[in-house]
Amino acid sequence: MMSIRVVNAGDGYAYLLRNVATADIDTGTKTKLGDYYQATGTPPGRWYGRGLTSLDSTAITAGTTVTQEHMAALYGEGLHPEADSRIANGASIADVQLGRAYPFYSGGHQVLKELSTMEKQFRYHAGRRPTEQERNTIAVDVARKHYSDETGYSNATPKEILAWVNEKKNSVRQATAGFDLTFSPAKSISVLWALGDEETRKTIESVHSECVSASLDWLDNNALRTRCEVNGVKKITRTRGLIAAQFVHYDTRSGDPDLHTHCLVSNKVQGPDGKWRSVDSRSLMKFAVAASTHYNALMMQRLGDELDLAFTNYETDPAKQPVWEVAGIDPKMIAHFSKRRAGARPRYEQLREAYRQAHGRTPGLRASRKLWQQAVLDTRPSKDAAHSLQSLRQTWQAEARQFFGNSATDAVEKNVSHAADTRTIAPAVDSDGWGDFVTEQAESAIALAVSRRSEFRRHHLHTAVEQELSAWIFPSQRARALATAHVMDRALESAVRLTPQPSYRIPGRLLTEDGELFDGRPVSWSAWFSLRVRVDTLASWSWPQLDCLAISTGSSGSSVFRYSHHACRCFLGSAHYH
């Protein structure tokens, strides 16, 4: 799955650096994740993304190491990651500023206003940005009097004062520095990664890394947008690519195995005109579930290809979406290594009941996801001291033997290798049954999409298509990708487009890069719906119901309504119902 959260400017990125390994290990581009197996802590971050070329740097390219200085400059202040070295070589702050400076919000707190002023004065006199230690010193010097005035305590330690300042910052709006996209495989995959042999571990890590990068590329192409003015018209356009810092982590805060990657996508992107702007966050957020489903589908396919893994649905409620886990992994073992979720369950139930009281209904899928995220945050324990992956695996394997028997780890490998896949083999592309298969999956995806919302957009349908196709086995990723594309096309053919397309010639400056009429929204926001009714029920409908509908024949021969205001009026004016 993939979750997404906003990261604030300042030190909002710092949590990603706290447990990075600091052993004497080469951190060049050829250093692999496995090289950190015995090092205490997690591997350092790596740069990724098509947008890195916009930085015009030979030191910051895909795969190179992310340093604390890089993070502080880009995510802390919106500067070029190499701002410090460039300023030392004669560049000014303006030279390394990527677009507009992050806005400052004080929330009316005088101490925050004075901190901002003092940092600006430091930059002016020193000709560079302050280091972390210098910034802390400024904060303590400025805030000490304010802290004493508010608390009546004049002997506070610097740590207490800094904590108080951070509370003030957290209480007001902050500028957005980036978006933390966290990719995590199904728990059964992490369990197999933790308890399996070395070859299995390395393969799962490699596949996970490939799927994370592929999912970021998919988001870059489909969701990453910015706002700029083209020929005097403000548009939402594509960018020159995202910039992301990837950090691989191994465990949850409860100490359970949880292979996952934080991808901190910078809010700084270049528009098609080469100017630095900010990411259109609405578009990126809208694609969160679609990206999560895409990552899940990639993981299942690639692990099936590389390790011949079988998958089975562990969701027993037929009314809910399937939960695909590695076949052969004991559900009790999955539950045992999911302490974080179990600990958050009571808080989730409290939030769920509060939601029901406030809204008069139980939360839907989207609301439930948000409530779970809130419950996890509310019950988050402090992070334990860093350990090497080697040490963690030894601990997990000993724990498995303690609770599931001395042969637990061997049994995992054996059970997985002999487990049966409960999915169905899909017909070959362009075979005799391919057309019927595509039609059936398109109809199922449409039904799933409209069961969640009365109207849907392309990314909603894409999510439904990939979820439906998860129940099928494909011989390769190429075959799965073709199936997804064919089912999407067939589904859109039978759906009803609510967002009109211009049928007349209009100036190119008013069209998006996809040829759509520009109305301030990305093309992916075009609305669709599916509605099949008997024609003889039209007579009982009122004008508001019929105002934007017209009859056409769907691919299966049944009547389908399509958007056309004028056609609808003409149809009704004829007073003939066929």
Side-chain angles (χ1 to χ4, degrees), residues 235-459:
K235 292 185 176 183
I236 296 178
T237 66
R238 299 181 187 274
T239 73
R240 291 189 176 182
L242 62 78
I243 297 173
Q246 295 183 345
F247 292 83
V248 179
H249 288 181
Y250 302 138
D251 58 344
T252 69
R253 287 177 177 262
S254 298
D256 293 325
D258 182 26
L259 175 64
H260 62 284
T261 301
H262 293 271
C263 301
L264 187 51
V265 176
S266 173
N267 196 29
K268 296 291 186 178
V269 290
Q270 274 192 343
D273 55 1
K275 293 183 179 181
W276 288 96
R277 291 183 169 84
S278 60
V279 171
D280 180 62
S281 60
R282 290 191 304 169
S283 179
L284 184 60
M285 293 292 188
K286 292 282 187 183
F287 275 78
V289 176
S292 179
T293 306
H294 186 63
Y295 165 77
N296 292 341
L298 289 176
M299 285 292 292
M300 290 175 64
Q301 181 65 46
R302 293 286 289 113
L303 288 175
D305 295 343
E306 296 294 326
L307 292 175
D308 197 27
L309 294 185
F311 289 86
T312 187
N313 177 22
Y314 277 19
E315 177 56 64
T316 58
D317 186 349
K320 295 182 178 180
Q321 273 297 298
V323 176
W324 296 103
E325 300 281 2
V326 177
I329 302 292
D330 189 346
K332 293 180 180 179
M333 186 172 286
I334 294 176
H336 175 81
F337 285 115
S338 302
K339 302 181 191 71
R340 183 83 188 277
R341 188 173 183 86
R345 169 67 68 174
R347 177 56 179 158
Y348 168 74
E349 295 297 341
Q350 293 176 354
L351 294 173
R352 188 171 183 270
E353 178 60 23
Y355 183 98
R356 192 187 67 79
Q357 293 289 344
H359 300 278
R361 55 182 172 82
T362 56
L365 178 63
R366 185 188 305 177
S368 294
R369 286 172 59 91
K370 291 182 178 179
L371 292 180
W372 260 117
Q373 290 176 354
Q374 185 61 50
V376 169
L377 289 174
D378 290 349
T379 58
R380 180 172 57 182
S382 59
K383 192 75 172 179
D384 290 338
H387 300 279
S388 69
L389 178 55
Q390 181 182 45
S391 174
L392 288 171
R393 274 174 47 90
Q394 290 172 350
T395 299
W396 293 327
Q397 290 170 5
E399 187 175 342
R401 288 190 291 268
Q402 177 184 354
F403 287 93
F404 299 96
N406 291 330
S407 60
T409 54
D410 294 334
V412 166
E413 295 272 1
K414 180 179 180 181
N415 292 340
V416 166
S417 63
H418 291 86
D421 204 315
T422 60
R423 297 173 297 168
T424 306
I425 298 177
V429 177
D430 295 331
S431 64
D432 292 340
W434 179 251
D436 291 339
F437 171 76
V438 169
T439 299
E440 291 171 0
Q441 296 308 303
E443 292 177 350
S444 296
I446 286 284
L448 180 58
V450 299
S451 71
R452 295 169 174 169
R453 47 185 54 83
S454 58
E455 65 179 50
F456 55 86
R457 306 190 189 281
R458 187 182 294 269
H459 58 276

Side-chain angles (χ1 to χ4, degrees), residues 115-142:
L115 277 175
S116 177
T117 300
M118 291 300 295
E119 288 189 10
K120 288 179 180 178
Q121 290 180 4
F122 181 96
R123 288 190 183 92
Y124 177 78
H125 293 294
R128 60 177 176 83
R129 60 182 200 86
T131 64
E132 183 179 2
Q133 182 57 49
E134 289 168 338
R135 181 176 285 106
N136 288 342
T137 300
I138 293 172
V140 171
D141 292 343
V142 170

